Amino acid sequence: EAQVTQNPRYLITVTGKKLTVTCSQNMNHEYMSWYRQDPGLGLRQIYYSMNVEVTDKGDVPEGYKVSRKEKRNFPLILESPSPNQTSLYFCASSPLPGTSAEAFFGQGTRLTVV
Amino acid sequence: DAKTTQPPSMDCAEGRAANLPCNHSTISGNEYVYWYRQIHSQGPQYIIHGLKNNETNEMASLIITEDRKSSTLILPHATLRDTAVYYCIVRSGGYQKVTFGIGTKLQVIP
């Protein structure tokens, strides 16, 4: 089954404690992306990657890092989480934009930073 | 990518057609129009996409105006399970950022 898997689904952590949210896709997609969703602000793109070792900033990259060492994985790293990073996070993958293909989204990670 | 404008909310009676508009007046020639929906806080789900012709699949129809500056997503017989937030986005191959707005919250009423 084609899917994007995020882990963990729920996480409560303390300010400053480094964490990683994993994202894995099994569709051999080139393009992967991270979004955060906050009430009233819709989905905002954090980072995206067009292929292995190719990443770029989205609209709200501050406080986040990503890496793309393998095609299937695109972890989101918060080196020093702060309460304003409390949010619902989604990972997505698709073939490269422009190939008129749909994006698949993970089920989300609800992060709370206290 | 072109920006899109959608009404923040709409209601639709169960069994009736739901017509969700989207304005994308700055769309360029190589940009596709995509529609996704998000039920509660689940991951967004793809519905349909198109370039300039009208499209139909098992979920919905997409009507794109001739000048491509706006489109309408049609759910022909809305059910309670169609209650969700619907996002209209445009994306192309040359510019890789994808921008989702706040979407339209569709409430299907029994």
Side-chain angles (χ1 to χ4, degrees):
Chain A
E1 179 189 355
Q3 60 185 5
V4 177
T5 303
Q6 294 178 227
N7 280 297
R9 294 287 311 278
Y10 301 91
L11 179 60
I12 301 174
T13 190
V14 296
T15 299
K17 185 177 180 181
K18 180 179 178 180
L19 67 91
T20 299
V21 184
T22 64
C23 175
S24 180
Q25 50 97 0
N26 63 359
M27 295 163 281
N28 201 37
H29 286 162
E30 292 86 1
Y31 183 87
M32 297 186 74
S33 183
W34 276 102
Y35 297 85
R36 62 177 289 173
Q37 185 171 34
D38 303 288
L41 296 177
L43 283 156
R44 295 181 293 167
Q45 192 177 41
I46 303 171
Y47 269 95
Y48 62 92
S49 169
M50 292 177 58
N51 215 323
V52 175
E53 302 293 0
V54 181
T55 64
D56 208 345
K57 297 177 181 179
D59 294 320
V60 288
E62 295 78 21
Y64 304 94
K65 285 176 58 178
V66 292
S67 70
R68 189 88 182 275
K69 293 184 168 52
E70 305 166 282
K71 199 172 187 179
R72 63 182 293 127
N73 296 322
F74 190 45
L76 180 69
I77 303 157
L78 285 72
E79 294 270 4
S80 184
S82 62
N84 65 12
Q85 292 178 299
T86 291
S87 187
L88 179 59
Y89 291 87
F90 290 102
C91 178
S93 78
S94 73
L96 278 176
T99 57
S100 68
E102 65 186 274
F104 291 79
F105 283 79
Q107 286 305 297
T109 295
R110 190 170 291 280
L111 172 66
T112 302
V113 184
V114 298
Chain B
D1 284 338
K3 299 283 187 194
T4 61
T5 305
Q6 299 176 253
S9 64
M10 293 181 63
D11 291 337
C12 178
E14 188 178 17
R16 303 296 295 269
N19 296 282
L20 292 89
C22 179
N23 182 287
H24 30 80
S25 58
T26 59
I27 193 170
S28 59
N30 63 344
E31 288 183 316
Y32 288 79
V33 180
Y34 284 78
W35 283 83
Y36 288 81
R37 74 179 181 184
Q38 185 178 26
I39 298 173
H40 297 300
S41 295
Q42 299 175 18
Q45 174 193 23
Y46 165 83
I47 301 173
I48 199 167
H49 74 277
L51 184 62
K52 51 181 152 183
N53 297 322
N54 298 337
E55 303 287 346
T56 296
N57 63 20
E58 65 278 5
M59 290 181 69
S61 295
L62 173 61
I63 308 297
I64 303 174
T65 58
E66 194 168 341
D67 63 8
R68 302 207 328 121
K69 292 185 177 182
S70 65
S71 61
T72 301
L73 178 74
I74 301 172
L75 308 178
H77 305 287
T79 71
L80 298 178
R81 286 176 291 183
D82 292 322
T83 292
V85 177
Y86 289 77
Y87 297 97
C88 165
I89 66 170
V90 293
R91 64 185 302 192
S92 69
Y95 184 47
Q96 310 306 338
K97 284 188 182 182
V98 179
T99 301
F100 284 75
I102 61 171
T104 296
K105 186 171 185 178
L106 175 68
Q107 181 72 48
V108 179
I109 302 167

